[in-house]
Amino acid sequence: QQQVKQSPQSLIVQKGGISIINCAYENTAFDYFPWYQQFPGKGPALLIAIRPDVSEKKEGRFTISFNKSAKQFSLHIMDSQPGDSATYFCAASNYGQNFVFGPGTRLSVLP
Amino acid sequence: KAGVTQTPRYLIKTRGQQVTLSCSPISGHRSVSWYQQTPGQGLQFLFEYFSETQRNKGNFPGRFSGRQFSNSRSEMNVSTLELGDSALYLCASSLAVKKGDTQYFGPGTRLTVL
């Protein structure tokens, strides 16, 4: 019940395209859903996050869509750029604790 | 605010040795969590300390231990190193007191066990 599933494992997108990464969770006690971006040799960096009382959150080219009834959330990267090539992790937490991470998606954006 | 810092950034040890890694959280953060990251296993949660007490623990053997000091700085110790302990060890700090509090990661310590 603590698991967060993430797909796809890897994703190749052309420059300018839309990248979509999906996550699903089981534990309805989760109340916070962040996405992290990690470049090789670096620690994960917070990209964008959403709480379950909101169905969508947009920050620049990055959008989280959240479906509470389906217990799913997704990251959309619009106008994908080569600089977006990184590994993306979704996560879920409960009251600022017990962060559970998805296995990660390696995104490659082709120039 | 300064971010999460970890020292050392790189370590090379041999099997059987022990190692201590250090993490300084963001000022004001009382929660420090440790993760092991390997290519095949993703981010694996080790443990979390909050106000000098271990609050949560993952499924790692007792060779992995940690502690937190009164200034919230944390150390992680691995004894009797094995080849499989080679990984990037990440710490993350958080306020961790209310909904929406997020974790901020340090750059990690790359441990290589020969």
Side-chain angles (χ1 to χ4, degrees):
Chain A
Q1 217 187 16
Q2 282 292 94
Q3 193 178 13
V4 173
K5 297 179 181 178
Q6 182 174 348
S7 63
Q9 186 175 6
S10 62
L11 181 61
I12 299 175
V13 174
Q14 293 286 340
K15 179 182 175 181
I18 302 173
S19 304
I20 301 174
I21 305 170
N22 300 299
C23 285
Y25 63 98
E26 290 293 325
N27 188 349
T28 55
F30 288 139
D31 57 29
Y32 181 69
F33 302 88
W35 284 88
Y36 288 85
Q37 178 189 57
Q38 186 179 28
F39 293 104
K42 305 288 186 182
L46 179 67
L47 187 63
I48 186 172
I50 197 167
R51 293 180 54 178
D53 52 348
V54 176
S55 61
E56 185 176 283
K57 182 175 182 180
K58 182 176 181 179
E59 290 184 1
R61 296 184 294 109
F62 301 91
T63 299
I64 300 178
S65 297
F66 188 84
N67 186 330
K68 188 174 181 178
S69 61
K71 292 185 282 186
Q72 295 175 348
F73 59 109
S74 60
L75 175 69
H76 292 62
I77 306 174
M78 312 299 288
D79 187 26
S80 298
Q81 299 297 311
D84 297 331
S85 296
T87 299
Y88 293 81
F89 295 93
C90 62
S93 73
N94 176 29
Y95 222 82
Q97 302 179 45
N98 300 319
F99 278 76
V100 180
F101 287 83
T105 296
R106 180 172 289 183
L107 171 65
S108 297
V109 181
L110 303 179
Chain B
K1 274 186 177 178
V4 179
T5 59
Q6 292 186 246
T7 57
R9 292 294 312 279
Y10 303 92
L11 266 179
I12 299 176
K13 293 285 187 178
T14 57
R15 278 186 304 171
Q17 287 187 308
Q18 76 166 20
V19 66
T20 299
L21 313 181
S22 181
C23 172
S24 292
I26 292 171
S27 177
H29 286 189
R30 291 189 291 166
S31 168
V32 174
S33 297
W34 287 90
Y35 296 86
Q36 181 193 66
Q37 186 176 34
T38 57
Q41 297 296 321
L43 281 161
Q44 301 292 308
F45 173 71
L46 281 152
F47 32 64
E48 182 219 3
Y49 284 85
F50 184 84
S51 293
E52 300 180 67
T53 301
Q54 188 180 84
R55 186 163 68 172
N56 295 292
K57 188 177 187 302
N59 296 321
F60 276 80
R63 300 185 296 109
F64 292 82
S65 63
R67 59 178 176 168
Q68 187 179 35
F69 302 95
S70 58
N71 61 358
S72 293
R73 188 177 70 86
S74 178
E75 288 182 347
M76 189 192 87
N77 185 75
V78 187
S79 62
T80 319
L81 284 167
E82 300 177 359
L83 295 178
D85 296 334
S86 294
L88 180 67
Y89 289 88
L90 293 159
C91 87
S93 79
S94 172
L95 287 169
V97 293
K98 64 182 187 302
K99 293 181 179 182
D101 283 341
T102 197
Q103 287 188 338
Y104 298 90
F105 283 87
T109 294
R110 173 74 62 184
L111 172 64
T112 302
V113 182
L114 303 177

